[in-house]
Amino acid sequence: MKTMTQGDTRVAHLPTGSYYSPSGEYDEMHRRSIEDPEGFWAEQARSLDWMKPWDKVLDWKAPYARWFVGGKLNLSYQCLDRHMKTEVKNKVAFYWEGELGDSQVLTYAELYRLTNNYAAALKRLGVKRGDKVALYLPMIPALPIFMLACARIGAIFTVVFSAFSGQALADRVEDVEAKVIVTATGMHRRGKILPLKDNAVEAASKCPCVEKIIVVKHTGHHVEMDPARDVWLSDILAECDEYVAPEEMDANDPLFVLYTSGSTGKPKGILHGTGGYSLWIAKTLQWAFKTDAQTVWWCTADIGWITGHSYVVYAPLELGLTSVMYEGAPDYPGIDRWWQIIAKYGVTTFYTSPTAIRMFMRHGEEWPAKHDLSSLKMLGSVGEPINPEAWLWYYRNIGHERISISDTWWQTETGGFMISPTPGIQAHPLKPGSATKPMPGVDVAVLDADGKELPNGQTGFIVIRKPWPGMLLDIYRNPELYEKTYWSRFPGYYLPGDYCMKDQDNFLWLLGRADEVIKVAGHRISTAELESAIVGHSAVAEAAACSRPDEVKGEAIILFVTLRKGTTPSVEIKNELTRHLRATIGTLATPEEIFFVNLLPKTRSGKIMRRLLKAVATGATIGDTSTLDDGASVDEAKAAFAELTDSAHHYKTSEKKPDIK
Ligand code: WTA
């Protein structure tokens, strides 16, 4: 097990002003949700607009949960149509700001009109209910509009993060069998233009399933268009100014597939449904951030990740909130760009990642101090454990010691927040670095390796003992992997794959991944995925990936590589391998350091001794790796360690700004 570096020290101190007196409302609501989930969720689900009511609240045949069975609804209707009958109609849905300083204001009425037009455009190109569409777009309004349009016509979409390479896009397009790729000419990033359309063409040429590429004109540069395959969005929209009736979707119809990293070399397609998901994300946003009609919400996540799906696009629109959406890098053109945006739009509720906070912390408190942040009422954090130092910096320098922070723990698979303070239910005591308590409906336990519940104060595996409405439906076309990954180790319980400790006050401390998943600046990537990409290079014989703690990014990627005969370690080959990883996966796969070694340390049974790799990567000694969990003897490990350290040539990548999620 990983050592608990943060948990011991960070439990004790509480900043002044972070206490609120608990009243028991949360405890009562949580108790009810666990004792009578069906009654509780039936009551909550009345807040949605159902086209047909459900016959049964929950059908639970482990490991498959189907919520609101028989119910019909449409998520684009929840987000748009029903607001057309209220004053939300003329409210701002999105204040969008481009990296270059250009901006656009979209009201709910305008978003409704555009969603209908985009839905008509998809239909005109032959996209039907159940067809798959890949969305490979930057953070521009077209992305949420296409997500809404797909939901409207019942097309299943997969959003592919725009920093993924053409090859990574092709892998996802092929797996999901997308008929259409939607992309843009390019995207702006720190003053440069990244060629999205070229990557989409690369993917389409590798995937015969792709019939059309829709291209959004965003950057001004010239792109080649193949008239048989490529269409400009603007051309097709010119013919599509019409209303499209929302499809009646079953509560358990798939809404989207989102690829994420796990223990295998290939990312897995997390499949989310319609009814339970819509309810879960809207309720959890209200509970964790106490949103109301005056909220100006800014979730800085890219829509290419689950955080953006649930909390940039759907939940805020369901709740009729006004949101800010920003295209570019947080530190471009100046390190205070985000604080400027908060002041400009009067953001009340700001939700970001620990990596971003640590990056700003490094630059100094004078940057946020230059701007009027008095509109802020709530702060949030997501994606990785937040260390108490960063929490306190955020609390003091952004929240000015007067507002609450919701540290939300959750995953692509969970659809929405699972553990977080819930000031929307009642004012909450906080501890810097703890995600505090489970959401209503979330039944958490901490288990040891044998599945026994651990007493408070001890670190073990977090499990969820009951299904919740936002739970994934399946892994796309791979139910065996779904059952094996999440349900086999502790049968009947969902296994998230994180370490956790419940303290004496029943506060939960999420202590990082318990598996081979690395979190680089909040981006999820697995060692298996990195290894399978790097061995695809002809110079590489074998490779192993691990991570090292990083002061800003949380974790950094370290690679161990044995080269084929005839290739010797050099800076050139290191650069070449880095380029290869970027082309195969994307920039987020950039290793911090590559060690070239003669042999990877393995046990007699052929298992890589990952602890030794970690020891070398972090500069630790063999003594620190005494708890080998790979069955190697101490002598075997010592010999392998000596060989490893003797033979290693290592090369660092020049320091790059973290690509904030
Ligand atoms: C980690 C992101 C500690 C965790 C929403 C989880 C966190 C993985 C937190 C999921 C948090 C996310 N505190 N760790 N507040 N939030 N994590 O699927 O390891 O990209 O399993 O979803 O991020 O990453 P994913």
Side-chain angles (χ1 to χ4, degrees):
M1 251 185 209
K2 278 182 191 169
T3 46
M4 205 185 71
T5 47
Q6 295 182 316
D8 310 317
T9 52
R10 59 188 186 168
V11 180
H13 51 182
L14 288 156
T16 48
S18 74
Y19 285 101
Y20 301 93
S21 56
S23 70
E25 260 165 79
Y26 160 82
D27 288 338
E28 170 55 20
M29 192 161 163
H30 190 261
R31 189 190 54 72
R32 209 154 41 86
S33 73
I34 300 300
E35 285 174 5
D36 175 22
E38 299 193 28
F40 179 83
W41 288 112
E43 219 171 88
Q44 299 296 329
R46 287 203 203 105
S47 59
L48 300 186
D49 232 313
W50 294 86
M51 291 163 161
K52 177 181 168 290
W54 59 88
D55 305 314
K56 193 172 178 202
V57 178
L58 172 63
D59 185 13
W60 173 227
K61 289 194 192 77
Y64 293 98
R66 296 296 176 251
W67 288 89
F68 309 110
V69 180
K72 306 271 187 208
L73 76 169
N74 184 292
L75 184 48
S76 99
Y77 186 93
Q78 302 296 320
C79 292
L80 301 167
D81 302 44
R82 65 179 177 151
H83 300 315
M84 294 307 110
K85 302 169 210 151
T86 72
E87 60 201 22
V88 175
K89 181 177 176 182
N90 295 316
K91 195 175 164 179
V92 173
F94 285 112
Y95 288 114
W96 177 82
E97 184 155 315
E99 192 176 82
L100 305 177
D102 42 338
S103 61
Q104 206 177 328
V105 179
L106 282 169
T107 63
Y108 274 84
E110 183 63 2
L111 197 60
Y112 169 76
R113 188 182 69 78
L114 290 169
T115 298
N116 275 282
N117 299 349
Y118 282 42
L122 287 170
K123 284 185 120 176
R124 199 70 51 99
L125 290 178
V127 178
K128 296 184 297 296
R129 181 176 176 145
D131 282 347
K132 270 74 77 181
V133 176
L135 304 175
Y136 182 61
L137 285 162
M139 287 288 283
I140 55 175
L143 180 49
I145 301 169
F146 268 111
M147 289 164 77
L148 290 161
C150 286
R152 193 163 191 89
I153 64 172
I156 301 164
F157 61 85
T158 190
V159 180
V160 181
F161 179 44
S162 53
F164 276 127
S165 65
Q167 180 57 51
L169 172 64
D171 292 343
R172 287 154 177 82
V173 164
E174 188 181 25
D175 190 76
V176 85
E177 292 188 320
K179 201 167 168 177
V180 172
I181 300 177
V182 184
T183 192
T185 44
M187 68 183 269
H188 299 285
R189 197 70 184 176
R190 291 198 177 96
K192 287 202 201 119
I193 291 179
L194 307 182
L196 295 186
K197 166 69 166 48
D198 296 350
N199 291 345
V201 169
E202 179 190 337
S205 66
K206 290 177 175 164
C207 304
C209 54
V210 176
E211 293 171 16
K212 293 280 173 208
I213 301 181
I214 303 178
V215 187
V216 180
K217 277 187 193 139
H218 178 54
T219 46
H221 72 291
H222 173 76
V223 298
E224 288 299 327
M225 296 289 277
D226 170 351
R229 182 197 57 204
D230 303 345
V231 285
W232 290 112
L233 175 69
S234 47
D235 287 354
I236 184 151
L237 278 182
E239 303 161 14
C240 291
D241 191 11
E242 64 203 53
Y243 168 77
V244 174
E247 287 281 323
E248 270 197 14
M249 303 305 290
D250 190 275
N252 292 289
D253 272 338
L255 177 69
F256 64 84
V257 178
L258 181 56
Y259 286 86
T260 190
S261 300
S263 51
T264 52
K266 268 184 159 247
K268 46 193 190 213
I270 304 302
L271 185 69
H272 274 291
T274 304
Y277 173 79
S278 309
L279 179 65
W280 184 247
I281 59 175
K283 286 291 155 191
T284 50
L285 180 56
Q286 258 176 338
W287 290 333
F289 287 98
K290 205 179 178 189
T291 57
D292 60 29
Q294 276 70 49
T295 297
V296 179
W297 168 250
W298 186 17
C299 164
T300 64
D302 192 285
I303 294 175
W305 306 103
I306 190 69
T307 310
H309 282 56
S310 300
Y311 299 112
V312 174
V313 183
Y314 292 121
L317 295 174
E318 281 185 85
L319 298 176
L321 306 183
T322 293
S323 294
V324 169
M325 183 176 161
Y326 169 58
E327 175 193 17
D331 51 356
Y332 189 85
I335 190 69
D336 55 345
R337 182 74 188 260
W338 277 9
W339 318 128
Q340 220 173 38
I341 292 176
I342 290 177
K344 176 170 171 187
Y345 297 103
V347 170
T348 62
T349 318
F350 179 65
Y351 183 44
T352 193
S353 68
T355 291
I357 297 162
R358 289 189 293 256
M359 186 193 80
F360 290 123
M361 206 168 126
R362 191 186 243 192
H363 285 281
E365 56 206 54
E366 62 274 23
W367 292 99
K370 279 199 215 172
H371 299 275
D372 177 8
L373 304 181
S374 61
S375 57
L376 288 170
K377 292 196 167 83
M378 275 290 312
L379 298 175
S381 165
V382 61
E384 359 151 24
I386 181 162
N387 46 314
E389 198 193 352
W391 194 103
L392 288 165
W393 188 90
Y394 195 32
Y395 180 74
R396 291 186 182 127
N397 294 291
I398 310 303
H400 299 149
E401 300 194 19
R402 61 182 177 86
I403 56 180
S404 182
I405 299 179
S406 285
D407 174 11
T408 62
W409 175 87
W410 59 296
Q411 307 180 295
T412 306
E413 292 86 341
T414 70
F417 312 147
M418 296 295 277
I419 300 174
S420 165
T422 48
I425 298 171
Q426 79 169 96
H428 218 298
L430 302 172
K431 298 188 189 190
S434 166
T436 74
K437 303 279 177 93
M439 285 279 158
V442 177
D443 185 15
V444 168
V446 181
L447 307 182
D448 69 9
D450 301 322
K452 241 183 42 245
E453 194 163 351
L454 284 168
N456 288 19
Q458 290 194 24
T459 300
F461 300 97
I462 185 172
V463 293
I464 315 293
R465 294 185 290 201
K466 280 194 174 55
W468 64 98
M471 190 172 112
L472 70 167
L473 293 181
D474 212 337
I475 292 182
Y476 187 63
R477 292 218 206 112
N478 202 341
E480 297 81 28
L481 188 61
Y482 169 71
E483 291 177 25
K484 181 168 164 259
T485 310
Y486 307 111
W487 303 94
S488 65
R489 177 148 191 185
F490 304 114
Y493 292 173
Y494 171 80
L495 179 72
D498 276 32
Y499 288 127
C500 180
M501 189 270 287
K502 198 189 269 189
D503 72 15
Q504 300 310 331
D505 302 324
N506 289 324
F507 275 52
L508 295 159
W509 300 80
L510 282 308
L511 301 169
R513 298 290 306 191
D515 56 9
E516 290 303 327
V517 170
I518 303 177
K519 277 267 170 165
V520 187
H523 301 300
R524 186 165 155 179
I525 190 159
S526 72
T527 52
E529 204 177 340
L530 290 161
E531 288 159 9
S532 110
I534 197 81
V535 296
H537 191 283
S538 57
V540 175
E542 250 194 317
C546 69
S547 70
R548 173 165 72 203
D550 183 278
E551 213 183 296
V552 174
K553 292 181 287 189
E555 291 186 275
I557 298 169
I558 311 294
L559 286 179
F560 288 80
V561 170
T562 61
L563 292 168
R564 282 187 195 282
K565 278 214 166 57
T567 315
T568 44
S570 64
V571 178
E572 289 70 36
I573 182 80
K574 183 230 112 190
N575 291 342
E576 167 65 22
L577 294 182
T578 302
R579 265 197 302 278
H580 173 75
L581 276 173
R582 287 190 180 154
T584 316
I585 301 175
T587 46
L588 63 118
T590 308
E592 179 89 0
E593 199 165 349
I594 300 184
F595 288 81
F596 293 104
V597 294
N598 291 340
L599 274 178
L600 291 178
K602 287 192 191 156
T603 62
R604 247 167 276 139
S605 62
K607 227 174 151 194
I608 292 175
M609 295 188 239
R610 290 185 181 275
R611 288 195 167 259
L612 294 192
L613 299 180
K614 213 155 190 150
V616 172
T618 53
T621 60
I622 181 85
D624 301 332
T625 67
S626 55
T627 51
L628 288 172
D629 55 4
D630 44 28
S633 73
V634 173
D635 284 347
E636 209 180 345
K638 272 191 181 156
F641 188 76
E643 160 76 24
L644 192 65
T645 40
D646 284 353
S647 77
H649 291 73
H650 58 107
Y651 296 94
K652 281 193 179 185
T653 305
S654 60
E655 199 174 357
K656 222 183 129 256
K657 294 186 171 175
D659 204 3
I660 306 292
K661 187 163 169 173

